[in-house]
Amino acid sequence: MITSYKDLNVWQRSIELVIEIYRLTKLYPREEIYGITSQTRRAAVSIPSNIAEGYTRKHKQEYVQFLRISFASGAELETLIFLAKKINFVSEIEFKESYRLLEEVMKMLNKMLSSLVAKP
């Protein structure tokens, strides 16, 4: 039974994603701490934060809006970690786990959004 946003699998997995993103961004060049490192971490943190905030809202439309923001943050995060791989901040192997977790979270968010929007 779900009594809190902390019970949601998507929130739990997105927390794991944040931890993985922090691990990944530790590999980025030190001079990027206020650039792509910071932006990547903020995008990752935005995902579970918006899931939590949306869950606590009183209306379904607000919840859906916050889930959409989480999904958009996921797209931003995907772009940032692809960019980091392309400019050789990380290797393909280092990139893979972050991307796998991100894909999983995005699929879960997409499914939640689809089911919430489909219900009257």
Side-chain angles (χ1 to χ4, degrees):
M1 184 170 166
I2 296 174
T3 59
S4 164
Y5 61 86
K6 292 178 265 186
D7 297 327
L8 296 169
N9 288 333
V10 68
W11 182 85
Q12 294 168 7
R13 295 302 283 165
S14 64
I15 290 294
E16 292 175 32
L17 174 61
V18 171
I19 293 164
E20 178 59 24
I21 290 299
Y22 268 75
R23 184 205 59 78
L24 184 73
T25 56
K26 281 182 184 178
L27 303 172
Y28 291 10
R30 183 81 180 127
E31 66 267 12
E32 284 299 325
I33 193 73
Y34 300 111
I36 194 170
T37 301
S38 177
Q39 189 172 353
T40 301
R41 289 175 174 181
R42 282 193 318 272
V45 168
S46 176
I47 297 169
S49 298
N50 280 292
I51 293 167
E53 187 170 352
Y55 184 86
T56 62
R57 296 294 174 133
K58 302 288 183 204
H59 301 287
K60 184 174 86 168
Q61 288 121 336
E62 287 179 295
Y63 187 26
V64 167
Q65 181 60 27
F66 278 91
L67 290 177
R68 285 182 175 142
I69 293 168
S70 287
F71 194 83
S73 293
E76 178 184 9
L77 179 58
E78 181 179 41
T79 300
L80 290 162
I81 64 175
F82 266 122
L83 179 60
K85 186 181 71 149
K86 289 283 189 194
I87 56 180
N88 297 315
F89 286 178
V90 294
S91 70
E92 179 73 28
I93 293 168
E94 293 161 336
F95 163 85
K96 273 187 175 179
E97 179 61 13
S98 298
Y99 188 72
R100 185 193 64 74
L101 272 169
L102 176 58
E103 267 190 319
E104 182 181 345
V105 168
M106 294 293 277
K107 286 176 184 176
M108 293 169 88
L109 283 168
N110 193 42
K111 185 167 175 113
M112 282 180 75
L113 281 164
S114 296
S115 70
L116 286 168
V117 170
K119 291 179 184 175

